[in-house]
Amino acid sequence: MKNNLDIFRIKTNNVAPQKGRVLIAEPFLPGNYFNRSVILLVAYSEKGAVGFILNKKVELAIHDILPGFPTFDGDVYLGGPVATDSVYFIHKLGKKLPGSIHVLGNLYWGGDFEVLKQQIAAGLIPASDIRFFVGYSGWDSGQLEREIKEDSWLVTDVDEEMVMRDLHQESWAEFVKKAGNRYSVWENFPENPALN
């Protein structure tokens, strides 16, 4: 009998990684951070890549993490295993926030943190327009490309509305579904088949 684990191979991964695209972890990618994660790439070049995990929300408010930050209901996520002592953010404020870097559509990364705090304190930023991340996901030159060749990541396009929705661990299946029928078997496969 032929072993048909071919259903977990990412044969049609012709979408190249680039800023504004997402990486969807294959069903069995190990590790607390990357297991069934969806990562938005905010920077990509021959020098490497930077992204944030979109579907690992933490039950802390940003003002609990950063002393002196104004009280704010914005969501906070685990962004990745790098620099977990730092906070990063993506937003829909555009050039209203100096120093912002365009990522996709009306989605930006970073910007002047003091101006951000002032705008939040003044009630000018709705919670739905910003996402905070503790840490980030990073790859050195060639590392992400190797992982993609090893079928660790499915690269796909995404729209800003999906990125800024209220995402959680189970949202991984929604991104898989959006990637196409080829990957539908991933959605219902148990995280640990031995427990099935």
Side-chain angles (χ1 to χ4, degrees), residues 104-135:
L104 161 76
N106 190 33
L107 199 60
Y108 291 77
W109 168 33
D112 189 311
F113 199 65
E114 291 307 312
V115 172
L116 176 70
K117 283 170 52 177
Q118 291 166 8
Q119 290 182 2
I120 286 175
L124 300 175
I125 300 178
S128 60
D129 281 1
I130 191 163
R131 295 284 180 272
F132 293 98
F133 301 93
V134 176

Side-chain angles (χ1 to χ4, degrees), residues 101-171:
I101 299 167
H102 181 255
V103 175
L104 161 76
N106 190 33
L107 199 60
Y108 291 77
W109 168 33
D112 189 311
F113 199 65
E114 291 307 312
V115 172
L116 176 70
K117 283 170 52 177
Q118 291 166 8
Q119 290 182 2
I120 286 175
L124 300 175
I125 300 178
S128 60
D129 281 1
I130 191 163
R131 295 284 180 272
F132 293 98
F133 301 93
V134 176
Y136 69 92
S137 301
W139 294 265
D140 289 331
S141 178
Q143 183 183 2
L144 179 57
E145 293 78 5
R146 281 191 303 277
E147 291 179 14
I148 290 169
K149 282 182 184 163
E150 294 165 357
D151 290 332
S152 295
W153 302 105
L154 170 62
V155 183
T156 188
D157 288 308
V158 70
D159 57 55
E160 66 188 76
E161 286 76 25
M162 196 156 185
V163 169
M164 297 302 281
R165 284 185 28 235
D166 180 27
L167 299 172
H168 42 80
Q169 180 67 31
E170 293 75 29
S171 299

Side-chain angles (χ1 to χ4, degrees), residues 35-108:
N35 179 261
R36 299 206 177 197
S37 64
V38 178
I39 299 176
L40 173 68
L41 291 175
V42 295
Y44 180 81
S45 72
E46 66 281 347
K47 294 178 182 175
V50 173
F52 299 110
I53 300 172
L54 298 173
N55 63 323
K56 306 268 177 140
K57 191 187 290 192
V58 297
E59 296 303 318
L60 289 171
I62 190 65
H63 52 271
D64 295 329
I65 295 170
L66 296 175
F69 198 89
T71 300
F72 188 64
D73 288 335
D75 291 331
V76 180
Y77 295 82
L78 289 176
V82 184
T84 55
D85 59 345
S86 298
V87 171
Y88 304 88
F89 57 98
I90 58 174
H91 56 86
K92 297 195 297 186
L93 307 174
K95 296 300 177 182
K96 292 182 221 165
L97 194 59
S100 296
I101 299 167
H102 181 255
V103 175
L104 161 76
N106 190 33
L107 199 60
Y108 291 77

